[in-house]
Amino acid sequence: MLRPMYSEISLHHFVDELTLGLLPLAVSRKTILINQIDRNLRVGSDENMLAYVLWNLLDRAVSSTQNECIHIESVVEGDTTLIRVRNAGIYFYRTISNGFRQVQHAAEKLGGTISIDYHTDTTTTIALTLKAA
């Protein structure tokens, strides 16, 4: 299935805008959000759909942490962009159960997938993988 062409989005700036809206929640949970997305990274995507997916992942990560530092990182390999939310907290699995199917479906509409990796040191990494159209 061919996806329509979208304008390119500065991913670093986009994540900055999303995290700004999460600042009150992060402060109340004594959690720091660090945007480590490459400042030159641009992705072609549906801006509203991408905002919906990333907002849900970030909001749930902040909601499941306390006194933590959450890193938002990017990795580009060929035509694949990986957006990782690292140290999402040990309770992330509990917070994703409500409505996560819709978030996964939205990621699939973007041509992407979401993966969750729970580490033995009680940290969780969520990754949104996007393939170039």
Side-chain angles (χ1 to χ4, degrees):
M1 182 173 105
L2 291 175
R3 290 180 288 150
M5 295 299 292
Y6 298 107
S7 59
E8 287 195 342
I9 300 166
S10 166
L11 195 55
H12 183 88
H13 180 71
F14 193 72
V15 168
D16 271 349
E17 289 179 0
L18 290 174
T19 56
L20 188 61
L22 288 167
L23 204 51
L25 177 61
V27 168
S28 73
R29 302 203 48 88
K30 298 179 181 151
T31 295
I32 298 171
L33 295 162
I34 300 176
N35 183 354
Q36 295 176 303
I37 302 279
D38 179 346
R39 290 184 181 273
N40 297 316
L41 180 58
R42 301 182 73 75
V43 295
S45 187
D46 177 322
E47 190 171 347
N48 291 325
M49 191 80 65
L50 184 60
Y52 173 77
V53 172
L54 286 178
W55 173 266
N56 273 280
L57 296 180
L58 292 170
D59 180 58
R60 292 165 193 217
V62 172
S63 296
S64 64
T65 59
Q66 185 84 31
N67 300 316
E68 293 290 341
C69 184
I70 297 173
H71 298 264
I72 306 147
E73 310 162 331
S74 61
V75 176
V76 177
E77 294 178 359
D79 66 346
T80 302
T81 301
L82 183 73
I83 304 165
R84 286 191 303 222
V85 180
R86 206 166 32 89
N87 204 14
I90 58 175
Y91 301 109
F92 185 79
Y93 279 107
R94 291 182 193 167
T95 65
I96 64 168
S97 60
N98 185 18
F100 190 68
R101 187 172 302 227
Q102 291 86 354
V103 177
Q104 178 65 31
H105 182 67
E108 290 168 0
K109 282 186 172 183
L110 291 171
T113 59
I114 297 172
S115 60
I116 302 168
D117 187 18
Y118 178 74
H119 304 275
T120 57
D121 63 355
T122 68
T123 62
T124 303
T125 300
I126 308 125
L128 170 62
T129 304
L130 298 172
K131 286 240 183 225

